[in-house]
Amino acid sequence: MARHSRSELAQLFDRIDIPFAPVAKPGDLFDDPQLNFDGRMLDIAFPNGARAKIPRLPVEIGDHDLALRRQAPAIGEHTAEILAGLGLAQSEIEALNRRSIVTVGGRE
């Protein structure tokens, strides 16, 4: 077996009608056609520009789409929005940021 490639063995087993499936390594799964079918793997972007794939939740609830709602935020990206939603004035948020109590900013 070791002297044959995976492709050669697949052709041989197919020709002589032996059921088979290659054993995949975890890293192979990100490019697996079945896992990627119909958007089952989600493409995510990190604040540093790196990209990766993660599996969707394997759950269906009616017509509700459990896909990626938004990309992960950069540190501080939504801080001002959240604090304003809690009732803090812009001047209070800026004061907290100056004192390094919170981080305000994020993607540029």
Side-chain angles (χ1 to χ4, degrees):
M1 301 275 288
R3 62 188 162 140
H4 298 285
S5 71
R6 181 186 286 190
S7 176
E8 291 171 335
L9 288 173
Q11 291 174 10
L12 172 65
F13 295 157
D14 209 21
R15 190 175 72 242
I16 60 177
D17 208 23
I18 294 177
F20 70 94
V23 175
K25 298 175 186 163
D28 299 335
L29 298 176
F30 296 104
D31 296 318
D32 182 271
Q34 185 175 357
L35 289 178
N36 283 280
F37 177 76
D38 200 25
R40 295 294 173 204
M41 293 292 281
L42 302 173
D43 189 31
I44 60 170
F46 294 95
N48 67 0
R51 299 193 75 78
K53 287 184 178 182
I54 60 171
R56 287 175 73 141
L57 290 174
V59 176
E60 293 183 13
I61 303 172
D63 292 335
H64 186 69
D65 186 4
L66 299 175
L68 186 65
R69 291 185 313 182
R70 66 168 108 172
Q71 297 293 337
I75 294 173
E77 184 174 350
H78 300 126
T79 302
E81 176 186 345
I82 291 168
L83 293 176
L86 294 172
L88 275 75
Q90 184 64 33
S91 61
E92 293 173 300
I93 296 169
E94 290 169 1
L96 291 172
N97 188 44
R98 277 192 304 276
R99 293 174 53 201
S100 297
I101 295 172
V102 298
T103 299
V104 177
R107 300 184 205 273
E108 298 297 320

